[in-house]
Amino acid sequence: MKAHTLETQSTINPEKALTFLQEGNQRFVNNLKVNRNLLEQVNDTTEGQWPFATILSCIDSRTSAELIFDQGLGDIFSIRIAGNFANQDILGSMEFACNVAGSKLIVVLGHSKCGALKGGLDAAKIEDLGMDNLNHLIYHFDDCINDIIKDGEERSSKNEDLLERLNVCNIKKTISDIRHQSSTLRTMEKEGKIKIVGANYCVESGVVTWL
């Protein structure tokens, strides 16, 4: 399979881009990868790139977007940060991907058993490790934690139900942040040029569930 060109990218709408990823995950789960000549795709993309989707995912080593959606070189923009949240630099990257390079879809991809979210739940313990920048990162999840935790519920990464609720809340909050903090992406979505969707990857089964 060849890499996408400007011509093939122009025929893809947001719904079709989403279908490509859904079908790709089905292939991944069933171990039926598309046969790709990656060196040929290197040559195909020498003069430019025309990805159809942008995926914001966690840095977790089990959640490589190219693999779990069975995509090749030049197919997707992959943005990764622990906890898959959005900041100004990530929003700028998304604006480039969609408004400049023509990406049709933004996916916020969370995953089960997320270590960054576990760190958010165990913030007091993480603070004791003395890593200033990691301490800063895990406090991005406090708003979600405060919204979803129940009276008397244990705030701990060992609370698996709370951890998964936090995962879903964090995906939805990131989508909301993208829409509220980027007028460019918000306008493009309203005009139907892009879609912004959430998804959750199960590290045990390989299955992506779409929110």
Side-chain angles (χ1 to χ4, degrees), residues 46-160:
T46 299
E47 300 301 324
Q49 57 171 339
W50 296 273
F52 66 87
T54 302
I55 300 175
L56 171 61
S57 61
C58 184
I59 65 168
D60 191 287
S61 61
R62 300 164 291 182
T63 61
S64 170
E66 289 83 358
L67 293 178
I68 65 179
F69 291 114
D70 188 31
Q71 300 300 316
L73 293 174
D75 290 339
I76 61 174
F77 285 108
S78 183
I79 306 171
R80 303 186 72 171
I81 188 169
N84 44 272
F85 63 88
N87 59 22
Q88 187 172 11
D89 299 308
I90 288 171
L91 291 171
S93 298
M94 290 178 172
E95 290 174 356
F96 168 81
C98 295
N99 204 35
V100 178
S103 181
K104 313 297 183 180
L105 179 71
I106 293 175
V107 179
V108 177
L109 180 67
H111 69 95
S112 60
K113 304 183 186 300
C114 178
L117 299 185
K118 288 181 179 181
L121 292 172
D122 297 336
K125 297 177 183 177
I126 297 296
E127 282 183 348
D128 292 340
L129 297 177
M131 292 182 283
D132 294 342
N133 294 297
L134 179 58
N135 290 341
H136 173 79
L137 184 149
I138 62 175
Y139 281 107
H140 283 280
F141 314 121
D142 264 7
D143 287 345
C144 270
I145 294 170
N146 293 332
D147 284 344
I148 66 172
I149 196 164
K150 302 171 184 176
D151 290 341
E153 186 174 21
E154 180 187 13
R155 175 173 171 157
S156 168
S157 61
K158 295 179 181 179
N159 184 341
E160 294 185 0

